Amino acid sequence: MELTLKSARRFIDEIPAPLAVVGVWGGELSEEGQKLDGKHRKALTHTMHELHFKGEFGETLLIPLATRRSEEEGPGFALLFGLGKKRGVSLETVRRAGARLVQEIARLGFKEAVTETFLAEKFGKQEASYALAEGALLGSYSWNKYKTSSPTSKRGEKLRLWLARASGPAVDRAEMVAEAVNYARDLVNEPPNILTPAELARRAAEMAQELGLGVEIWDERQIQQAGMGAFYGVAQGSANPPRFIQLTYKPQTPASRVIALVGKGLTFDTGGYSLKPSESQITMKSDMAGAAAVLGAMRAVARLQPQVEVRAYIAAAENMISGTAYRVSDVLTSLSGKTIEILNTDAEGRLTLADAITYADRQGAEAIVELSTLTGACVVALGEKVAGLFANDARWGREVQEAAERAGEKVWPLPMEEEYLEALKSTTADLKNTHGRSRAGGAITAALFLGEFTEKPLVHLDIAGPAYTEKSHALGPAGGTGFGVRTLVELLGV
């Protein structure tokens, strides 16, 4: 389904759309619904009470208004849309309502509708317009690129949604951000035989050239020559060679600061010789979701043009098994010069990220945000809806956390307990890539490992839980969620 959003100054009668959407919350018509002309307001209120429609969140009731004789006579149907109880309502309620609404309109078969901007009087026109538009655009996402036939699919349908009294700039920004999130979703959903490291690099370069970003792609020879031994060690077992992707955005006026974004780019992860069970490999095409989030954020940055210089770094590779693959007990030399003893080849992401973080530091980043589907331990701790936030600098950590809260993405701070560093010390090398057979504190020790490769303010977001879902969720279908894009956009002030 392709969704087009339009702003409209009036509501119901003046908009030539067959369907008008009216919010219901707290068991009553919304403030916008209360402003309707007496005829419509009374009819909707009467029907709602007669049918005991309470307006639980996402609940809908379709009501015929009149028989239209022409397209100019206003809507023929009203859709009462439940916003739930007044207590605890938030902008996330509006965002989720937008997603649920477009799905319901498409299910009913309408191709055009007008809706009030839910809860605009409570949260402000601009904020409510942005949340509603973003939710609608995210909720309309679908992934069926490789389906050759689907009789029940609505792939070819287009839906035009008029947002009454919406703030134009807010809707425009929402379209740019949602498009960036959906771009990241597309990358995560691609099968791994298509989205190899080289293909990920090609798409990143294509996007950069389209939007005027600086771009540099290193092949396997350049990666080795640069001294990225930890990254290359992970990549060396695959027939698909690695790529190191670098994108740069510079504002037209002097930048207020320089921020680096680092994303884990494992386009497929078998676990290497520490082989994952078959069931655990099913979702491993999503092990590059951190990279997808960074590329999506750069797409939004290029269009929204903040006053911050933004540099993106992705070490793209596959973790495979072959005669050239790295082994348990190997010792790798990282770009930083630190040596790493391998205790588990399935703890590969932190090795690729170590070199990417070192490089970002050396290139002059003032602060770094890194996103990765890094540990199952974080999923055990926080579940599938919440990302773990680890920071070596409290102020930078709060800044990222507050950006996530504004974006509506759930993160939770976890400690970088320095006493646990002892578990990463090796008798053979400078560090071990895991803390051995113990399963305790796995997400923390992974974060501590990354922290050994920069002295700059670093936030590590472990997005292993929310980056991918095997069932539909509030803002879209199963598959890649694009988690992290909206947080980065908020963080960069665009």
Side-chain angles (χ1 to χ4, degrees):
M1 179 177 62
E2 180 182 335
L3 176 64
T4 302
L5 298 180
K6 298 287 184 180
S7 296
R9 297 183 63 184
R10 296 181 177 86
F11 187 43
I12 294 217
D13 286 329
E14 293 84 355
I15 307 299
L19 178 68
V21 182
V22 180
V24 175
W25 67 309
E28 301 292 338
L29 292 180
S30 64
E31 288 90 343
E32 196 70 32
Q34 298 290 350
K35 294 177 181 177
L36 299 176
D37 66 80
K39 178 183 66 175
H40 283 142
R41 186 178 66 252
K42 289 178 181 178
L44 294 178
T45 301
H46 175 76
T47 304
M48 183 175 69
H49 289 162
E50 282 290 311
L51 297 178
H52 304 287
F53 181 81
K54 299 298 183 184
E56 298 295 330
F57 183 83
E59 185 183 11
T60 59
L61 178 63
L62 186 65
I63 301 173
L65 292 177
T67 302
R68 299 197 310 167
R69 291 186 298 274
S70 70
E71 290 293 323
E72 288 73 33
E73 289 189 14
F77 294 89
L79 181 69
L80 295 182
F81 185 86
L83 299 171
K85 298 176 181 179
K86 291 188 176 183
R87 184 176 181 179
V89 72
S90 66
L91 282 173
E92 185 62 17
T93 306
V94 180
R95 187 177 287 110
R96 294 176 64 183
R100 175 73 179 84
L101 176 62
V102 294
Q103 294 161 6
E104 181 64 9
I105 292 172
R107 187 189 70 81
L108 291 170
F110 289 95
K111 294 182 173 63
E112 190 171 11
V114 57
T115 180
E116 62 174 280
T117 301
F118 299 136
L119 306 179
E121 295 198 1
K122 182 175 180 63
F123 296 113
K125 182 170 68 173
Q126 179 169 321
E127 290 78 4
S129 297
Y130 180 84
L132 179 64
E134 185 179 68
L137 290 159
L138 294 176
S140 66
Y141 175 83
S142 63
W143 174 256
N144 40 37
K145 180 177 178 180
Y146 297 101
K147 289 184 177 291
T148 57
S149 62
S150 182
T152 60
S153 173
K154 297 183 181 298
R155 280 181 297 172
E157 292 193 2
K158 296 183 178 181
L159 170 62
R160 182 164 61 173
L161 186 64
W162 297 84
L163 305 182
R165 301 188 180 94
S167 171
V171 174
D172 293 342
R173 180 177 182 271
E175 288 182 320
M176 295 179 195
V177 175
E179 191 273 338
V181 174
N182 289 337
Y183 174 84
R185 287 171 162 179
D186 282 350
L187 291 175
V188 176
N189 288 332
E190 284 284 4
N193 63 316
I194 301 296
L195 196 76
T196 62
E199 177 62 13
L200 181 63
R202 188 196 68 78
R203 294 192 190 188
E206 182 180 66
M207 180 191 73
Q209 291 161 6
E210 172 197 347
L211 298 176
L213 296 170
V215 59
E216 186 172 359
I217 309 293
W218 288 358
D219 63 18
E220 62 271 30
R221 180 183 58 84
Q222 292 168 297
I223 291 166
Q224 288 179 283
Q225 289 177 343
M228 292 183 166
F231 171 26
Y232 188 75
V234 173
Q236 68 190 34
S238 177
N240 290 310
R243 293 292 184 266
F244 187 59
I245 302 165
Q246 307 167 58
L247 300 182
T248 306
Y249 162 80
K250 292 185 178 181
Q252 294 181 352
T253 56
S256 59
R257 56 180 176 171
V258 179
I259 302 297
L261 310 180
V262 177
K264 179 182 172 184
L266 268 292
T267 58
F268 195 74
D269 177 22
T270 67
Y273 278 107
S274 303
L275 186 66
K276 294 179 183 290
S278 296
E279 287 186 1
S280 298
Q281 293 189 40
I282 291 172
T283 59
M284 281 302 101
K285 69 177 184 179
S286 69
D287 212 18
M288 41 61 68
V294 166
L295 292 176
M298 291 301 289
R299 190 172 185 85
V301 162
R303 299 178 69 186
L304 294 168
Q305 301 187 343
Q307 287 304 113
V308 180
E309 182 173 333
V310 188
R311 301 170 182 174
Y313 304 99
I314 294 164
E318 289 183 336
N319 185 21
M320 303 291 283
I321 295 174
S322 72
T324 60
Y326 79 134
R327 298 151 293 207
V328 173
S329 296
D330 281 2
V331 173
L332 306 178
T333 301
S334 68
L335 178 62
S336 71
K338 292 181 180 180
T339 56
I340 306 164
E341 180 187 9
I342 305 305
L343 295 191
N344 188 329
T345 64
D346 195 23
E348 85 299 329
R350 66 198 69 184
L351 299 171
T352 66
L353 292 167
D355 282 348
I357 289 170
T358 299
Y359 188 80
D361 184 318
R362 291 182 178 179
Q363 291 297 302
E366 296 171 27
I368 303 169
V369 183
E370 174 273 319
L371 299 90
S372 53
T373 49
L374 203 62
T375 67
C378 198
V379 184
V380 172
L382 298 177
E384 297 181 349
K385 303 294 185 184
V386 184
L389 185 153
F390 300 83
N392 66 1
D393 179 270
R395 180 178 296 179
W396 184 229
R398 285 194 299 272
E399 196 170 340
V400 176
Q401 184 177 4
E402 289 168 1
E405 290 171 354
R406 293 194 301 274
E409 294 188 312
K410 297 177 182 178
V411 305
W412 193 258
L414 293 170
M416 292 182 70
E417 178 51 62
E418 292 190 3
E419 286 190 32
Y420 293 177
L421 265 175
E422 188 68 26
L424 293 175
K425 291 183 178 178
S426 168
T427 57
T428 302
D430 296 324
L431 293 167
K432 299 182 292 190
N433 76 325
T434 70
H435 57 316
R437 294 184 177 91
S438 172
R439 299 181 66 184
I444 296 174
T445 54
L448 289 169
F449 181 89
L450 297 178
E452 289 295 289
F453 296 91
T454 183
E455 296 296 325
K456 302 285 180 63
L458 169 69
V459 163
H460 157 56
L461 288 174
D462 192 331
I463 62 172
Y468 191 90
T469 175
E470 295 188 72
K471 56 184 180 180
S472 61
H473 58 102
L475 296 179
T481 63
F483 187 96
V485 174
R486 291 182 287 145
T487 292
L488 295 177
V489 170
E490 287 290 337
L491 176 69
L492 297 169
V494 293

